[in-house]
Amino acid sequence: MSTENRHSITDEVEKGVKDVRDSAAAAIHHSAAEAERNRREVEGDTMTPGEKMASVADEAKERIKEGIDDTKKSVRDHT
């Protein structure tokens, strides 16, 4: 096996590992965002306006992190 083939295989394995890691991270962030949304639906009127705002901010933060992980994977797959 030539050195070039070994590097190609190694690169593909590393890419696959990174894709799995980013997919798992995106799933975790998605779950956290959904949990915040569900929390607001369940607790609803018992939450203070400040708690609701913090929950919305937490959901947005998790959605952004999910998007970042998805983008990293997409960029890696297209380069």
Side-chain angles (χ1 to χ4, degrees):
M1 181 179 278
S2 72
T3 303
E4 183 178 310
N5 286 341
R6 277 186 237 151
H7 286 298
S8 177
I9 292 170
T10 301
D11 291 344
E12 287 301 313
V13 169
E14 287 177 4
K15 181 179 172 183
V17 168
K18 289 178 181 179
D19 281 354
V20 168
R21 182 190 63 211
D22 288 336
S23 292
I28 290 168
H29 294 304
H30 180 80
S31 294
E34 289 299 312
E36 280 301 324
R37 178 181 296 258
N38 290 336
R39 178 175 164 234
R40 287 193 310 278
E41 287 177 5
V42 169
E43 294 183 20
D45 294 333
T46 63
M47 295 177 81
T48 67
E51 289 172 331
K52 286 181 183 179
M53 286 176 45
S55 177
V56 168
D58 285 343
E59 179 185 353
K61 176 184 72 175
E62 294 298 334
R63 298 244 185 244
I64 290 167
K65 288 180 178 181
E66 176 187 8
I68 289 169
D69 289 327
D70 286 339
T71 300
K72 288 190 301 189
K73 184 177 175 286
S74 179
V75 167
R76 189 180 311 111
D77 288 347
H78 292 95
T79 56

